[in-house]
Amino acid sequence: MKRLFFLLLAALMMAACGPKTVEKKTVSTDRSQSELLAERLQTLQQQGYMMGHQDDPMYGVSWPGTYAGDSAELGRSDVLAVVGDYPAVMGFDLGGIEMGDAKNLDSVPFTRIHDELIAHHERGGIVTLSWHPRNPLTGGTAWDVADTTVVRSILPGGSQHEKFQTWMTRVGDFIATLTTDDGQPVPIIFRPWHENNGSWFWWGQKLCTDDEFRGLWNMLQDYLVQERGFSNLLWSYSPNLDGGWTEERFMQRYPGNDRVTLIGEDAYQWGTEEDFKSALTADLTFLSDFAKKNQKLIAMTECGLKNMTDSTWWTRVLQPIMDKYPICYFLLWRNYKEEYFGPSPELPCAADFRKLYQSKNVLFLQEVKSEKL
Ligand code: BMA
């Protein structure tokens, strides 16, 4: 990926002082979809940061959508209902694909994920995939952390290695279907093994050694990139809000500059506003510095305040911090009736979201679609 991409990034960074209008580039065929996506992210970042939402077109705070299988709701989106535009970035989750399930862990049919992901790309948006695979050793969920030998068990020589090969094959088979009508693979920000510095997933900090984690990352990446040949995946390394990164600690599980294009962070406010603000500020300072030195892109790959218990949180808490850093996007987690992180017309936070929408540097679909790949 790499040399050409870095040169490209350097050139784009130099061009950053130019006018704000973005010119359509001629697509050269010798670059992969993921390289073109990286270039697009870099270009757009000069205008601001994109708004993203998990499962945006699937269901909302007050409409069950996919849960009820109601096709009358096709095209619906809480973000669209509040501001009249779709998010620039939409996220979807593959959890369950490994089992051969028809629906993901949040009851969204994979056929819908397939269709909505391609539709969002076609309308000029950007898509990202996460994966909450079940626990291959215990049969439990991704959050089953009772056993600390799970990662070891799926690495080469482990008792579950073969099973995990099948799981990776199913992921690969699904990714292979994500193409446009003319057969072009859709560029996708792919961020497996997220929040690995926490210990709530079976691939977490206390659940495997640094070497095992790297082995896990490499096994999946080498399978998808080398064996399956997917060059449309832009690899995102996405730990959780930490608040105290040092280069040494960050590097312990970092897969390496040749394996990562975008560094993200999942940052929710679970505790006090003050704690959140200081942890996020420290982390984005560290990450943007690291990204600059290592020529990486950065993003807030997940974020939010559960159930928007503070209706001005976006513009009062989140936006002033995001404004200070060169992030490409922030992705609010899903709007499920029992836990929502985005806006909805009937909620008090809708007004604040409209204010966010008015900000010039917060980009929605209409502002990015002319840059479609
Ligand atoms: C978590 C929660 C869960 C959900 C999972 C995967 O953060 O939202 O309810 O199943 O993400 O989307």
Side-chain angles (χ1 to χ4, degrees):
M1 268 190 274
K2 326 309 158 203
R3 202 178 189 90
L4 181 61
F5 172 57
F6 293 151
L7 289 172
L8 210 65
L9 273 188
L12 282 163
M13 279 164 177
M14 276 155 62
C17 338
K20 267 197 160 189
T21 41
V22 178
E23 279 168 32
K24 186 97 189 143
K25 302 215 170 35
T26 328
V27 174
S28 120
T29 47
D30 60 356
R31 277 176 289 140
S32 67
Q33 288 295 307
S34 64
E35 286 167 330
L36 292 168
L37 175 56
E39 180 187 349
R40 185 183 179 198
L41 291 176
Q42 179 67 32
T43 305
L44 287 168
Q45 195 274 312
Q46 290 152 33
Q47 295 174 32
Y49 47 86
M50 294 182 280
M51 189 268 146
H53 193 207
Q54 183 74 3
D55 274 353
D56 183 76
M58 302 301 192
Y59 48 83
V61 175
S62 61
W63 50 288
T66 313
Y67 290 93
D70 186 350
S71 59
E73 289 181 335
L74 285 177
R76 194 167 171 181
S77 145
D78 278 344
V79 169
L80 181 69
V82 173
V83 297
D85 197 359
Y86 283 114
V89 179
M90 287 189 188
F92 306 104
D93 197 90
L94 292 176
I97 197 87
E98 70 282 358
M99 312 298 287
D101 291 348
K103 293 180 176 181
N104 85 351
L105 75 170
D106 298 321
S107 306
V108 185
F110 284 108
T111 49
R112 283 295 310 282
I113 296 180
H114 170 272
D115 293 355
E116 293 292 352
L117 185 145
I118 295 172
H120 194 57
H121 167 72
E122 294 283 20
R123 63 168 83 96
I126 288 169
V127 292
T128 175
L129 278 177
S130 51
W131 184 27
H132 288 82
R134 293 179 68 88
N135 184 317
L137 185 62
T138 66
T141 68
W143 291 266
D144 179 353
V145 291
D147 191 304
T148 56
T149 65
V150 185
V151 174
R152 200 183 318 151
S153 80
I154 62 176
L155 292 175
S159 63
Q160 307 302 313
H161 182 62
E162 215 166 296
K163 181 202 258 184
F164 200 74
Q165 299 288 112
T166 307
W167 286 18
M168 293 196 300
T169 306
R170 289 181 177 140
V171 169
D173 291 349
F174 183 70
I175 290 172
T177 68
L178 302 174
T179 59
T180 56
D181 282 347
D182 59 1
Q184 274 281 343
V186 174
I188 297 164
I189 300 169
F190 188 63
R191 51 175 207 105
W193 315 130
H194 63 302
E195 302 177 10
N196 70 323
N197 52 330
S199 295
W200 45 86
F201 293 130
W202 57 256
W203 54 89
Q205 183 75 38
K206 294 192 182 132
L207 285 300
C208 58
T209 66
D210 296 344
D211 281 349
E212 285 167 351
F213 179 79
R214 272 205 217 86
L216 178 70
W217 179 284
N218 295 355
M219 184 171 67
L220 179 64
Q221 188 171 42
D222 291 349
Y223 171 72
L224 292 174
V225 175
Q226 283 164 28
E227 277 190 50
R228 300 295 296 257
F230 295 123
S231 57
N232 55 323
L233 304 179
L234 186 154
W235 290 79
S236 166
Y237 179 64
S238 172
N240 196 63
L241 181 70
D242 185 278
W245 287 122
T246 59
E247 178 118 4
E248 193 193 350
R249 216 159 54 70
F250 186 79
M251 290 309 284
Q252 277 170 5
R253 293 192 177 202
Y254 180 61
N257 277 343
D258 55 343
R259 290 183 170 274
V260 171
T261 301
L262 184 146
I263 299 166
E265 185 159 281
D266 291 2
Y268 293 91
Q269 183 186 311
W270 297 120
T272 69
E273 184 181 311
E274 283 320 307
D275 286 351
F276 175 73
K277 287 202 293 205
S278 72
L280 186 61
T281 301
D283 282 11
L284 288 180
T285 303
F286 172 82
L287 290 179
S288 49
D289 192 42
F290 183 90
K292 196 170 169 199
K293 280 199 287 211
N294 294 280
Q295 286 157 312
K296 301 296 163 199
L297 302 163
I298 56 167
M300 287 179 64
T301 42
E302 286 183 30
C303 63
L305 173 68
K306 186 174 165 177
N307 297 350
M308 285 306 291
T309 45
D310 171 348
S311 62
T312 59
W313 188 77
W314 288 312
T315 61
R316 208 175 46 72
V317 178
L318 192 61
Q319 187 177 18
I321 300 177
M322 294 196 298
D323 279 351
K324 290 192 208 135
Y325 298 96
I327 60 170
C328 297
Y329 70 91
F330 70 105
L331 183 129
L332 300 175
W333 202 240
R334 66 203 195 108
N335 269 15
Y336 178 44
K337 60 180 183 306
E338 275 147 29
E339 50 148 28
Y340 53 87
F341 298 86
S344 185
E346 73 282 12
L347 299 173
C349 62
D352 193 57
F353 195 77
R354 278 185 212 107
K355 212 167 136 195
L356 188 70
Y357 175 73
Q358 293 304 329
S359 309
K360 259 198 138 119
N361 64 334
V362 185
L363 312 175
F364 286 70
L365 179 71
Q366 292 305 319
E367 289 144 302
V368 307
K369 68 176 190 182
S370 62
E371 273 291 289
K372 179 180 184 304
L373 290 180

